Amino acid sequence: MTAEWSLTGAPNARDLGGLVGAGGRPVRAGALIRASGLGRLVDDDLPTLGKLGLACVVDLRAASEIEVAPPDRLVGEPRVVHIPVHDPAHPVFTYVSAVMLGHDLGAYEALAREGTTGAMEAIYRWFVASPVAAEAFTRAVREVAEPGNLPLLYHCSAGKDRTGWLSVILLTALGVDADAIRADYLRTNDLADGVNESILGAMLVRRPGLDLDAVRPVLEARGSYLDAAYDEVTRRHGDMDGYLRDALGMDADMVSGLRERLLEP
């Protein structure tokens, strides 16, 4: 199993090492790290980040998100690759970024009409259905497969949706059991619960009467979101193997190569 560590400023950051993949071989510790934006790291986090020895950081945020967020705090000189997974036509991306920054949400009328739970499920379907999303996730997977890019950390704003779906893609390719993949996806709720409640509390101070039940779905990882993506996979590609192959170009040789690099012997 991987060594335990944590980042105060990115509490849902974690090593995917130790999850059991194909042939009973565990994912290598220290090779794949998932996280939220690193702009809120505190000084005490930096030695921990340094020990990870990152070679590459893949940032899944759009330029508009990066511009308004605190700059990522990095240690060393990892290669930073920006691969935006973003639908400018859908307000949920702006909404998630705004929530993470504690901004007033009153202006997001389009999202309010759709409902935050429904909007989140729609975005997960978009992850699968959109050629733009497929191209971005394909690029991200190819960064993982690139020699010299490990250890690699990937993140978005909250570290649960785009980061979560990329984790599903990678762990599926590595042969990790679907139940274990779901458990890792939902683990965000436990790891980030404290910071989420702080965000909600601060928002309520600034805007008394705010409907927290309408905001909370944006901060949480929910099984129904993952199910929406899986349902779209089934509808379009039959199963996850078909999705990896047909949408993301992950043929047998690429999957085999990833397993050789990322699974223990």
Side-chain angles (χ1 to χ4, degrees):
M1 294 296 289
T2 183
E4 289 297 323
W5 52 264
S6 62
L7 298 173
T8 300
N12 64 338
R14 56 199 183 268
D15 188 344
L16 295 180
L19 292 171
V20 178
R25 298 161 62 191
V27 178
R28 283 176 47 201
L32 283 178
I33 311 295
R34 57 172 294 178
S36 55
L38 303 177
R40 292 183 179 80
L41 296 187
V42 300
D43 289 345
D44 287 347
D45 289 330
L46 300 185
T48 300
L49 190 66
K51 289 177 182 177
L52 297 176
L54 299 176
C56 183
V57 173
V58 174
D59 188 340
L60 302 175
R61 298 175 297 174
S64 59
E65 297 174 78
I66 296 171
E67 288 170 1
V68 299
D72 279 359
R73 302 188 70 184
L74 299 173
V75 178
E77 296 183 356
R79 178 170 176 260
V80 178
V81 183
H82 292 108
I83 304 177
V85 181
H86 181 73
D87 179 8
H90 202 291
V92 74
F93 287 105
T94 306
Y95 188 85
V96 171
S97 298
V99 168
M100 295 305 296
L101 293 169
H103 292 174
D104 189 337
L105 306 177
Y108 297 99
E109 296 178 2
L111 195 63
R113 287 195 298 272
E114 188 171 7
T116 46
T117 299
M120 296 302 298
E121 292 170 355
I123 282 299
Y124 277 70
R125 288 191 292 271
W126 179 86
F127 288 161
V128 177
S130 167
V132 173
E135 180 182 4
F137 286 122
T138 297
R139 289 179 58 200
V141 170
R142 293 191 182 279
E143 290 296 333
V144 174
E146 186 71 21
N149 274 358
L150 300 181
L152 181 144
L153 179 149
Y154 55 97
H155 74 87
C156 52
S157 289
K160 66 181 184 69
D161 302 314
R162 290 164 288 187
T163 295
W165 186 244
L166 180 55
S167 298
V168 170
I169 290 168
L170 293 171
L171 294 175
T172 299
L174 294 175
V176 176
D177 177 82
D179 289 340
I181 293 174
R182 181 178 291 267
D184 175 73
Y185 171 77
L186 294 173
R187 190 180 173 206
T188 289
N189 294 329
D190 294 327
L191 294 174
D193 182 62
V195 69
N196 288 349
E197 291 305 316
S198 295
I199 290 171
L200 291 171
M203 293 174 70
L204 196 58
V205 169
R206 285 194 299 273
R207 191 178 169 196
L210 179 68
D211 183 1
L212 295 184
D213 288 338
V215 180
R216 201 177 298 276
V218 178
L219 294 173
E220 294 178 347
R222 295 188 175 184
S224 67
Y225 305 165
L226 202 56
D227 290 340
Y230 280 140
D231 287 347
E232 195 68 21
V233 164
T234 299
R235 191 172 74 82
R236 291 176 175 269
H237 302 287
D239 57 20
M240 283 295 291
D241 288 341
Y243 167 66
L244 298 185
R245 181 186 64 246
D246 299 335
L248 306 182
M250 299 177 68
D251 60 19
D253 287 343
M254 185 176 187
V255 170
S256 177
L258 285 170
R259 290 180 179 182
E260 287 306 306
R261 297 184 69 229
L262 290 166
L263 297 179
E264 296 285 357

